[in-house]
Amino acid sequence: MKEFECEYCGGVIQPKKVTVEHWYESKLVIIRDVPVGVCGECGERYYEAATLEQLDAIARESESAQERISVPVMAFALS
Ligand SMILES: [Zn+2]
């Protein structure tokens, strides 16, 4: 991914590999080592179109995942 400026703050976008929480057809899949551009100032992530397609393709294979986690789901209210 080539360097460019953040469209929100003008910061420099740098290539990184991150863990992405990706929703696909109402299922949540955690995908590691996703190549993205990250703004050094505000942290905004930029995905290439091919990367987003790959995330969907990986999510479609999620039944074969070797690792699973359970996560709490909460409403925005404190009891
Ligand atoms: Zn930014």
Side-chain angles (χ1 to χ4, degrees):
M1 185 175 292
K2 64 178 187 288
E3 281 194 3
F4 58 105
E5 276 190 1
C6 177
E7 63 185 270
Y8 298 102
C9 74
V12 176
I13 309 298
Q14 291 171 330
K16 284 192 176 170
K17 291 204 171 170
V18 300
T19 299
V20 170
E21 303 85 39
H22 185 65
W23 285 95
Y24 179 78
E25 291 181 348
S26 77
K27 287 183 188 165
L28 174 63
V29 184
I30 311 289
I31 304 172
R32 294 199 181 103
D33 297 326
V34 180
V36 298
V38 180
C39 174
E41 297 296 323
C42 74
E44 181 67 21
R45 290 177 176 182
Y46 292 85
Y47 298 82
E48 291 188 350
T51 303
L52 291 172
E53 287 174 16
Q54 175 82 347
L55 291 176
D56 284 345
I58 292 168
R60 282 195 291 271
E61 303 287 317
S62 65
E63 293 300 319
S64 66
Q66 299 293 306
E67 185 182 345
R68 288 171 190 273
I69 61 171
S70 68
V71 297
V73 178
M74 303 282 283
F76 188 67
L78 292 173
S79 55

